[in-house]
Amino acid sequence: MIIVNTTFHIPLPLKNALAAWLRDVYAPSALAAGHRSPRTARVLGGAGDDEGCSVAFQTEAPTLAEARKWHDGEAGRLRIELARQLGPDKLAFFTTYLQTID
């Protein structure tokens, strides 16, 4: 199983908008692509927590190829749309692929 972990960083006033977008747009897209177990968590203890908010979104894909297909395709399009909605320089993100160990 492959975990797709994308961490987003936004200004604090936009945290509720990001949470709603992850719940209402991003997670359903992942599920429609065959991913499982979407979950969202706030990253704690980061530098600049008083000015910004970091949120990690994770989902599980059966293979790395399927994880990348969604991330680079539909999810990529959705992230571009979100960046346009929030405004210039309001969104940063990075993605890490993790393989579960039994």
Side-chain angles (χ1 to χ4, degrees):
M1 188 65 57
I2 302 298
I3 299 170
V4 182
N5 181 90
T6 302
T7 300
F8 297 88
H9 186 79
I10 56 162
L12 271 177
L14 298 175
K15 71 179 183 178
N16 290 338
L18 177 62
W21 180 83
L22 289 170
R23 180 190 64 241
D24 298 340
V25 177
Y26 210 60
S29 171
L31 290 170
H35 291 222
R36 302 184 336 200
S37 305
R39 57 192 163 270
T40 305
R42 182 162 182 187
V43 178
L44 302 177
D49 273 353
D50 53 340
E51 296 176 13
C53 176
S54 293
V55 175
F57 176 85
Q58 293 184 343
T59 188
E60 297 175 358
T63 66
L64 181 57
E66 290 181 54
R68 286 186 171 156
K69 180 180 178 184
W70 173 73
H71 178 270
D72 296 346
E74 177 66 13
R77 184 186 65 75
L78 293 174
R79 289 188 306 272
I80 289 169
E81 286 180 16
L82 176 65
R84 285 184 188 142
Q85 290 173 12
L86 296 179
D89 302 322
K90 301 289 184 194
L91 176 69
F93 69 89
F94 66 92
T95 299
T96 306
Y97 298 98
L98 309 158
Q99 185 173 32
T100 58
I101 300 172
D102 295 330

